């Protein structure tokens, strides 16, 4: 484990409020994987640069066993965080990797990949998240990029209050994450809060931010955020961060980023800026030019 002692505690003097709580939508994707779409299409503008967050978690193999056979992507990045379970990834750029307990797979589709994500277990719990992070228009057609991080590879810190923080992207308490992105300055933290702990994270003004609680319950600026709820944080121009408090043990994702403020044209696994670019992606995929 890559645990670092936090070098600083940046104070948050005015904390963002909860704008609204969102209940995810039950759906299926891939070859019939049951999941909860937490960040849905209708929130893409509000939570720009994030396009989607899926939560999957089941101990019934029927819910996950079929996985996600070969499918394309273009124009954005997928970040898969596996809490429990084993998933094999293969893509048309020749990358292959096994994602398991606590690991992260970061894939930049760029101008295009075709990949598969197939569970490597026939029983037991599979739990995790897939986040879609948009790319700015000038990076959408970049070459694909891919990296696997095992749990041990991910930077981690424990605050004075005992909050264990995994820094998947961005920076927290002086610890730099596994991945940094200039255009969106994406922040992606997994927080494990012991009972009665308080966690403060500075957030730049104007960055869209949300918290997804997946164990226990937290309070943000006086509002309770129960398990399996996403709290969209208000973009208060006076606020300089978020403060999360746990009454009992709790686990939550804190995700934030600088909005791209560009048009979003999405057709399934392609996310571009214009309809014409979507037609081009479809043509390229059909003619085998995507990968
Ligand atoms: Fe995919």
């Amino acid at each position: 484990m890559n645990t670092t002692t936090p070098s600083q505690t940046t104070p948050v003097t005015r904390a963002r409020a909860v704008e609204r709580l969102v209940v995810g939508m039950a759906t299926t994707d891939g070859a019939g994987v049951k999941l909860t779409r937490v960040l849905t299409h209708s929130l893409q503008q509000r939570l720009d640069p994030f396009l989607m967050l899926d939560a999957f978690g089941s101990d019934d193999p029927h819910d996950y066993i079929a996985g996600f056979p070969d499918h394309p992507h273009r124009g954005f990045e997928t970040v898969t965080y596996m809490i429990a379970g084993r998933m094999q990834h293969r893509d048309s750029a020749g990358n292959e990797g096994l994602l398991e307990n606590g690991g992260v797979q970061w894939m930049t589709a760029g101008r295009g990949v075709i990949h598969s994500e197939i569970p490597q277990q026939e029983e037991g719990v599979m739990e995790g998240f897939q986040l879609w992070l948009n790319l700015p228009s000038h990076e959408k057609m970049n070459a694909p990029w891919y990296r696997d991080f095992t749990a041990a590879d991910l930077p981690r810190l424990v605050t004075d209050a005992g909050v264990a923080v995994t820094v998947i992207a961005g920076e927290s308490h002086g610890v730099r994450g596994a991945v940094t992105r200039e255009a969106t300055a994406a922040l992606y933290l997994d927080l494990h809060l012991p009972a009665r702990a308080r966690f403060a994270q500075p957030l730049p003004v104007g960055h869209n931010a949300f918290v997804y609680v997946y164990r226990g319950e937290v309070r943000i600026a006086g509002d309770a955020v129960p398990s399996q709820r996403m709290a969209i944080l208000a973009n208060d121009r006076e606020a300089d961060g978020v403060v999360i408090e746990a009454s009992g043990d709790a686990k939550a994702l804190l995700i934030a980023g600088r909005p791209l403020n560009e048009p979003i044209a999405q057709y399934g696994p392609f996310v571009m800026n214009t309809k014409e670019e979507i037609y081009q992606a479809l043509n390229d995929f059909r003619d085998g030019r995507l990968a």
Side-chain angles (χ1 to χ4, degrees):
M1 192 184 293
N2 210 351
T3 302
T4 316
T5 308
S7 62
Q8 61 188 54
T9 343
T10 316
V12 170
T13 54
R14 178 163 165 164
R16 290 197 192 198
V18 173
E19 179 177 294
R20 59 181 276 214
L21 291 183
V22 175
V23 183
M25 194 182 78
T27 185
T28 58
D29 207 340
V33 177
K34 282 193 186 166
L35 50 83
T36 303
R37 188 141 295 161
V38 179
L39 197 173
T40 54
H41 196 264
S42 59
L43 290 170
Q44 287 180 339
Q45 294 289 348
R46 174 61 188 84
L47 293 176
D48 178 9
F50 302 101
L51 299 162
M52 194 185 86
L53 177 68
D54 282 347
F56 49 93
S58 176
D59 57 5
D60 179 355
H62 294 104
D63 289 347
Y64 60 71
I65 203 74
F68 302 86
D70 273 347
H71 59 278
H73 291 292
R74 173 179 279 181
F76 62 101
E77 307 190 82
T78 68
V79 186
T80 311
Y81 182 28
M82 188 69 97
I83 303 291
R86 290 156 63 84
M87 187 106 84
Q88 175 91 31
H89 164 267
R90 275 199 185 95
D91 73 29
S92 52
N95 299 304
E96 193 173 328
L98 184 67
L99 181 61
E100 55 189 334
N101 305 341
V104 166
Q105 183 221 75
W106 195 296
M107 186 192 75
T108 306
R111 66 174 172 256
V113 293
I114 296 170
H115 77 160
S116 62
E117 298 152 297
I118 304 293
Q120 298 296 298
Q121 63 189 55
E122 283 163 10
E123 53 179 28
V125 177
M126 174 158 290
E127 182 180 10
F129 304 96
Q130 188 170 84
L131 177 73
W132 286 14
L133 170 61
N134 209 354
L135 287 168
S137 56
H138 65 276
E139 293 180 20
K140 283 184 177 290
M141 295 299 277
N142 281 3
W145 183 87
Y146 161 89
R147 248 196 95 179
D148 272 323
F149 301 92
T150 65
D153 295 332
L154 293 171
R156 226 161 262 192
L157 65 101
V158 179
T159 67
D160 292 343
V163 180
V165 185
T166 303
V167 191
I168 297 169
E171 190 177 322
S172 184
H173 295 70
V175 175
R176 213 173 148 82
V179 172
T180 52
R181 286 287 176 261
E182 204 181 322
T184 51
L187 175 76
Y188 189 170
L189 306 180
D190 181 20
L191 307 172
H192 294 193
L193 303 109
R196 290 177 298 283
R198 179 180 184 275
F199 177 80
Q201 171 72 35
L203 296 172
V205 170
H207 286 207
N208 290 325
F210 60 96
V211 173
Y212 181 72
V213 179
Y214 66 97
R215 291 285 191 288
E217 179 176 302
V218 303
R219 293 190 81 79
I220 299 175
D223 283 327
V225 186
S227 198
Q228 296 177 325
R229 293 292 182 281
M230 171 170 69
I232 298 179
L233 303 182
N235 280 347
D236 175 354
R237 300 212 62 89
E238 306 296 315
D240 56 1
V242 59
V243 175
I244 301 171
E245 293 168 292
S247 38
D249 292 353
K251 296 182 180 177
L253 308 178
L254 168 58
I255 296 171
R258 181 191 298 124
L260 292 167
N261 293 316
E262 292 178 351
I264 300 169
Q266 178 176 7
Y267 181 80
F270 307 122
V271 184
M272 303 302 289
N273 300 115
T274 66
K275 261 189 203 164
E276 291 66 32
E277 291 167 339
I278 291 292
Y279 296 139
Q280 187 63 52
L282 287 164
N283 287 338
D284 288 350
F285 177 49
R286 190 196 55 206
D287 298 342
R289 285 192 303 262
L290 199 93

